[in-house]
Amino acid sequence: MLKIPSIPVLRSGEVYRSLEQQPINAIGTDQPAALMSMANSGLVKRDLNFVGKSRDVLKSIPAHDLMQMCVDAGDHFLKGTLPVGEQEYPQSPDDYVKSLSATSGLPHALIRMNMNKLYEIFTEMPTIIRGLTRGLDLAVLDKGYGEQHGVPVSYSANTDALAVVLPSNSPAVTALWMPSLVMKIPVLLKPGREEPWTPWRIMQSFIKAGMPKEAFSFYPTDHDGSGAIVRRSGRVMMFGDDSTVSQHALDPRVEVHGSGKSKIIFGEDCIDDWEKYLDIMVESVSANSGRSCINASAILVPRHADAIAEAIAKRLTEIKPLPFEDANAKLSGFANPKFAEYINGAVDAGLAEGGARDINEPHRGRERHEIFQNMHYLHPTIIRCESWEHSLANREFLFPFASVTEVAQADMLDSIGSSLVVTAITQDPVWVEELLECPHIERLNLGAWPTNRVKWDQPHEGNLFEFLYKRRSIHIAALAHV
Amino acid sequence: MNAQDTLDQHTRETIQHHFSPETGSPFWLKWAAENWDPRTEIQCFADISKFPHFQDEWLRDITNEEWVPKAFAGRPLNVFETGGTTGLPKQRVGWDDYKHDYEMFSDQLDDDAFPKGGNWLMVGPTGPRRLRLAIEHLAAHRGGSTYFVDLDPRWVKKLIIRKEYDQAERYQRHVMDQAVEILKHRDIKCLFTTPRLLESLAERVSVPGVGVRGCFCGGTTMTPQMVRFLVEEVLENKALFVPTYGNTLMGLACSIPLTDDYSVTYYAPQPRAVLRVVDPDDTQNTVDYDSYGRVELTTLTKEFFMPRFLERDEAIRRKPCNRYDWDGVGDVRPFGVMENKVVEGVY
């Protein structure tokens, strides 16, 4: 009988095998690709009372050492053979790719791309931390106080642990919590249903690099357990839709990463040269199979919308479902067919309103929703909206999808609404000034830069350091040991 | 006489009692007049399948006087309630059944874990429930006294339906505050509570550390993992955990001692109550052993006759064991929980 990996609960680093083992089936089959230990909610609640001990362990290690462990962990993640569970199931990088692909529907090529991105997060951690802390000397976190730019500073932690309720949609998204460890805050992870693999592998990489195992708790759990994590943790990072965002909008403990509604916008001065920016638009919409909140979901232009929509659609039509192992596979399937059906239905419902056209339809020559090798896919879709008011103009979906709409430059910044990333293609100094003033934009790319490319020293989607720590005023008259 | 013979004889006696004009209740006498005479048709327990399923709304829609057997006429009665988050709750009349049931249960308890003369604490739904009197009687029967901390599950259920989780947690803390005070300042050896409240209590105190030696638990689903957690961590492998399955309509089904898999199997207090695990699509038939089916309860006491009531639970049909020579029900969970979202586990 083929041995399948069994992913346990981790309780402050201690492996715990639950009596409740949930199978994670390989996509399109009833064959389990793994078993996952499910933590009962009482166990989660009990453990939450003791997370302070895990923080004590991390606090005892200098932050610079933790940083080096993080950098070293990158190699383990990318190249190492790491245990799933205890030592009985060693997982090579290839095993990881196959397992994740089997349960999530992500093509191998996309997983490898995400592995490289995660490797960079490990190895670029000094830059990331510098960006988050604005260059704070990490010794300040060791002592609790110090100096920055000649000014006394002191920071105290808001929490004993960072709880993260993870999604299943994209491995790299699961890495937003990684800097927390260098900041001496343990993590408590609740993995997504189809994607326990990446957080598990990241944790094991850290542990192999010397990070204390006590810093990691991992609780596959049900709705009840998940609710306990959200309600009882000092700081919570979670992922969800607009309703989840609004549900927690007034709770300072909870940071919800919702839809990004990232955009590319053209100024009057550059729009006639739009063809020069076609590659940027295509990459922004389709990279990582359109699954990230930093993928562009809307393109706003003063004119040439028909031609732009047509050109992007034509390029995106080249992205098709391919076998998982195909090196050219760029389109992810849906582990849960209902998601594909729901999204496809939502797009169709928007089109049925009138005032919008699916530009890819004539190019693809088949339905948007296709079942290929037992997996549900949504083909890339560009929607040409006649008005920014159309319900599909400012929507974000979990596949390569974007609207193209003509909006006068003067109206754009008042129209775009909350946008995680905006790439503004313009040289107009007056408009650039307005863009810099625009309160709706979280991350601004001025000029030809795809929305999906991140710079490690430029945090977006909230600042993890400010979420985990608060600055206090400090004056030290005399301390004997200083 | 073996268990089956005992059950068949008990069934005949119970039917005679409830359907004889001299001793029966107005409800069942009227039912017999409109349908058929069970005194001739029912000769053994298997014949109970001739009855249709008992409808629990009868316990809400029909007045309590209609359920009083003539044999009990003139005796003041207890009214016990079940459910009732909205509207009139279902009610059952009773006199001594709870005493019989809990005396039988007492015989099953381990005297080291539940010492005679030891005091009890009940943390859970009291109010109009049979359980409140039953626990007090159990303690008294064993020579102890009972302390009570009430929790109103109807209110908690409303909070959960409204997603007012913060309020629910505050209410639970309020309940725990009271329970902890009693545990710290009174000599309590035995505890009755629900799994959720027991977990919550153990976040505040070491349950064995404050002197509790045995915990009898019931109320909501207990998966093997949950039971293991309660035994190993909440009770620290020091106090004895005794899960039970019961309700106002049945009495109390005892569990057999736990094994390494922590799967809980309950056995009904036959012949006073009988549990069958039936095929939900054909409730005349039981499912195969070790398969899930819906739980069907028949209550056969002098005070209350309730044939073939379909519980809102499903369970694994388990084989008879050394201690109980009849079928058991294992790993009980809400009926349809795998298909539907069930608001459960509120206390």
Side-chain angles (χ1 to χ4, degrees), chain B residues 50-249:
Chain B
K50 294 176 182 175
F51 279 101
H53 291 298
F54 186 90
Q55 302 299 306
D56 61 348
E57 58 264 32
W58 292 341
L59 296 172
R60 182 181 55 217
D61 300 338
I62 293 169
T63 62
N64 286 319
E65 289 71 21
E66 292 286 298
W67 295 102
V68 177
K70 197 173 272 184
F72 291 85
R75 277 188 65 186
L77 54 83
N78 294 123
V79 178
F80 299 118
E81 293 188 351
T82 180
T85 303
T86 54
L88 185 67
K90 296 171 186 88
Q91 296 170 334
R92 174 199 164 169
V93 297
W95 292 268
D96 300 321
D97 267 359
Y98 73 90
K99 296 177 187 167
H100 294 312
D101 291 338
Y102 278 72
E103 285 169 22
M104 278 174 68
F105 174 63
S106 176
D107 293 341
Q108 311 294 321
L109 287 176
D110 179 325
D111 287 347
D112 287 333
F114 299 90
K116 296 276 177 65
N119 292 327
W120 286 66
L121 170 64
M122 174 181 176
V123 187
T126 62
R129 283 164 202 81
R130 196 176 104 121
L131 196 58
R132 184 248 184 271
L133 285 181
I135 298 294
E136 189 155 38
H137 181 74
L138 173 67
H141 181 69
R142 298 178 68 80
S145 300
T146 314
Y147 296 82
F148 290 97
V149 176
D150 180 46
L151 177 139
D152 179 359
R154 295 172 187 168
W155 178 238
V156 178
K157 208 163 194 172
K158 279 185 177 172
L159 292 174
I160 289 176
I161 289 169
R162 290 185 210 141
K163 298 190 172 177
E164 294 178 16
Y165 301 117
D166 286 351
Q167 284 289 335
E169 291 222 347
R170 283 174 65 186
Y171 181 54
Q172 193 178 48
R173 277 202 297 275
H174 164 65
V175 171
M176 285 303 115
D177 288 345
Q178 299 168 70
V180 167
E181 285 303 308
I182 290 177
L183 283 170
K184 282 183 175 171
H185 297 105
R186 293 290 178 266
D187 180 20
I188 305 293
K189 293 280 189 298
C190 314
L191 182 64
F192 169 81
T193 189
T194 65
R196 296 296 179 108
L197 294 176
L198 180 58
E199 284 174 3
S200 189
L201 201 53
E203 288 185 49
R204 306 278 290 268
V205 292
S206 162
V207 176
V210 292
V212 171
R213 287 158 63 173
C215 178
F216 142 47
C217 221
T220 52
T221 304
M222 282 179 261
T223 63
Q225 169 57 27
M226 199 167 177
V227 173
R228 173 194 176 194
F229 172 70
L230 292 171
V231 169
E232 291 180 349
E233 303 191 37
V234 170
L235 297 177
E236 305 168 33
N237 279 319
K238 291 174 183 166
L240 184 68
F241 182 65
V242 178
T244 57
Y245 176 58
N247 56 38
T248 301
L249 306 179

Side-chain angles (χ1 to χ4, degrees), chain A residues 389-428:
Chain A
E389 305 304 316
H390 193 278
S391 67
L392 290 176
N394 195 18
R395 289 292 294 275
E396 177 177 305
F397 295 112
L398 215 56
F399 76 112
F401 169 95
S403 67
V404 181
T405 312
E406 284 186 2
V407 179
Q409 178 185 307
D411 297 333
M412 278 185 198
L413 299 187
D414 288 335
S415 308
I416 57 172
S418 177
S419 307
L420 181 60
V421 185
V422 166
T423 287
I425 299 181
T426 183
Q427 299 289 329
D428 177 351

Side-chain angles (χ1 to χ4, degrees), chain A residues 11 16-19 40 42-43 45-46 49 223-224 231-232, chain B residues 165 169 196 199 202-203 224-226 228-229 233 261-262 341:
Chain A
R11 307 174 68 182
Y16 180 87
R17 294 211 177 271
S18 167
L19 292 176
N40 53 298
L43 180 147
K45 289 176 191 171
R46 187 173 178 83
N49 293 327
H223 185 73
D224 198 24
R231 285 194 298 281
R232 292 193 174 201
Chain B
Y165 301 117
E169 291 222 347
R196 296 296 179 108
E199 284 174 3
E203 288 185 49
Q225 169 57 27
M226 199 167 177
R228 173 194 176 194
F229 172 70
E233 303 191 37
D261 65 3
Y262 291 98
K341 187 172 167 53

Side-chain angles (χ1 to χ4, degrees), chain A residues 58 61-70 181-182 184 211-212:
Chain A
L58 269 188
I61 302 172
H64 284 96
D65 294 355
L66 294 172
M67 180 77 85
Q68 190 56 50
M69 291 170 197
C70 181
L181 295 151
V182 179
K184 304 189 167 203
M211 194 77 79

